[in-house]
């Protein structure tokens, strides 16, 4: 279990709760500080060539091994899968991210970068993100994924090794969600970077919410309409992206 919001974020506490409830053998290893926008970078803070790690105790799960790592989530996943943890994890969960990860901008997400790094090692991964505004007010619904997580986890565990799934959930009570939908990536994400200031000694990047409406049927559009969305992130050379829609269609037939 990792994320890009840091070891102390409420999102990773929520995802840990869900993973433990699902019966998984959980180890948490997350960045010591905020690492959003890290993509799949494998950089770290090192002393004498060693990545710096610190043992932590999670308030609600003191029995779950937890580590704060001064590194990006991609680096943490590589370390976990190539000799740090014994046995090596056979599943990587990432999130719950404070903010949606939609559109082609998922390329820049450290939350998504963690599971894409796992896929390089033929390990299944799930990124979970909560659709939060860039400058939110009020309390977040960190329980919004509770009903969806067990279903999506079952799909992932039955999927081929190296499968990467991205689940985005509206920041509202589960009873206010519309139906879970398969979604393709929108052209842009919910937030974009821009240069706010240019000076003689450097420049300053800021973030702005995308003002244009996402294309119909994409993750951004469906999420804005109140649908949780699920997307399989895959190499172009693979199948035609039928994993999620076929699974959802089967679920509908079973319920009928």
């Amino acid at each position: 279990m990792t994320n890009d919001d840091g070891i102390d974020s409420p999102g990773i506490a929520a995802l840990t709760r869900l993973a433990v409830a699902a019966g998984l053998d959980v180890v948490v290893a997350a960045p010591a500080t905020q690492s959003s926008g890290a993509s799949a970078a494998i950089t770290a803070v090192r002393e004498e060539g060693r990545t710096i790690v610190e043992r932590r105790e999670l308030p609600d799960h003191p029995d779950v091994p937890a580590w704060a790592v001064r590194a990006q989530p991609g680096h943490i996943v590589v370390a976990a899968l190539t000799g740090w943890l014994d046995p090596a994890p056979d599943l990587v969960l990432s999130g719950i991210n404070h903010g949606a990860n939609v559109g082609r901008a998922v390329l820049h997400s450290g939350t998504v970068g963690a599971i894409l790094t796992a896929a390089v090692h033929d390990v299944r991964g799930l990124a979970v993100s909560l659709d939060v505004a860039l400058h939110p007010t009020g309390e977040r619904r960190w329980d919004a994924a509770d009903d969806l997580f067990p279903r999506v986890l079952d799909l992932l565990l039955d999927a081929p090794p190296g499968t990467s799934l991205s689940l985005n959930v509206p920041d509202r009570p589960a009873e206010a969600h519309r139906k879970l939908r398969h979604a393709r990536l929108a052209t842009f994400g919910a937030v974009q970077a821009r240069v706010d200031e240019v000076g003689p000694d450097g420049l300053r990047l800021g973030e702005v919410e995308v003002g244009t409406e996402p294309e119909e049927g994409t993750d951004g559009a469906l999420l804005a309409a109140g649908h949780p969305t699920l997307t399989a992130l895959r190499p172009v050379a693979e199948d035609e992206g039928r994993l999620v829609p076929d699974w959802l269609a089967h679920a509908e037939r079973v319920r009928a």
Side-chain angles (χ1 to χ4, degrees), residues 3 37 72 74 90 102 120 125 129 131 140 150 158 160 169 192 232 244 249:
N3 70 352
Q72 310 293 9
D90 54 11
V102 295
V120 171
S129 304
D131 185 21
R140 307 280 66 78
D158 286 339
V169 184
Q192 286 185 306
V244 173

Side-chain angles (χ1 to χ4, degrees), residues 11-249:
I12 203 165
L15 194 56
T16 300
R17 172 177 56 81
L18 292 175
V20 170
L24 299 180
D25 183 10
V26 178
V27 176
V28 174
T33 58
Q34 171 67 248
S35 296
S36 293
S39 189
I42 56 172
T43 52
V45 176
R46 293 183 172 93
E47 289 183 355
E48 298 181 351
R50 297 175 180 232
T51 300
I52 301 172
V53 301
E54 175 190 352
R55 192 67 184 261
R56 288 289 187 89
E57 182 175 294
L58 302 180
D60 296 328
H61 297 282
D63 296 332
V64 172
W67 301 87
V69 188
R70 294 180 65 182
Q72 310 293 9
H75 178 101
I76 296 170
V77 171
V78 169
L81 297 178
T82 59
W84 176 25
L85 300 183
D86 184 18
D90 54 11
L91 178 68
V92 172
L93 304 178
S94 186
I96 297 172
N97 191 68
H98 188 274
N101 277 303
V102 295
R104 297 177 187 172
V106 297
L107 173 68
H108 304 297
S109 165
T111 300
V112 174
I115 65 167
L116 295 180
T117 302
V120 171
H121 296 269
D122 284 331
V123 172
R124 299 170 180 86
L126 170 64
V128 184
S129 304
L130 189 67
D131 185 21
V132 178
L134 184 59
H135 302 292
T137 58
E139 297 295 322
R140 307 280 66 78
R141 294 305 304 246
W142 293 111
D143 60 349
D146 284 15
D147 292 341
L148 297 168
F149 179 81
R151 295 170 54 198
V152 174
L153 179 63
D154 284 346
L155 167 64
L156 181 61
L157 294 177
D158 286 339
T163 297
S164 301
L165 298 179
S166 177
L167 173 66
N168 283 282
V169 184
D171 184 20
R172 60 183 71 173
E175 58 269 22
H177 290 172
R178 300 178 71 180
K179 185 168 66 172
L180 175 65
R181 294 281 301 274
H182 165 254
R184 59 186 174 87
L185 296 177
T187 301
F188 297 106
V191 175
Q192 286 185 306
R194 72 175 184 189
V195 176
D196 284 341
E197 178 185 331
V198 178
D201 300 320
L203 53 86
R204 185 189 303 275
L205 281 177
E207 293 181 325
V208 294
E209 291 183 311
V210 175
T212 57
E213 292 293 325
E215 310 93 304
E216 184 177 355
T218 61
D219 50 6
L222 291 168
L223 191 61
H227 292 278
T229 65
L230 188 62
T231 303
L233 306 175
R234 58 192 175 80
V236 175
E238 289 189 1
D239 64 19
E240 297 179 353
R242 296 302 310 171
L243 176 67
V244 173
D246 286 351
W247 171 68
L248 289 172

Side-chain angles (χ1 to χ4, degrees), residues 37 214 254:
V254 169

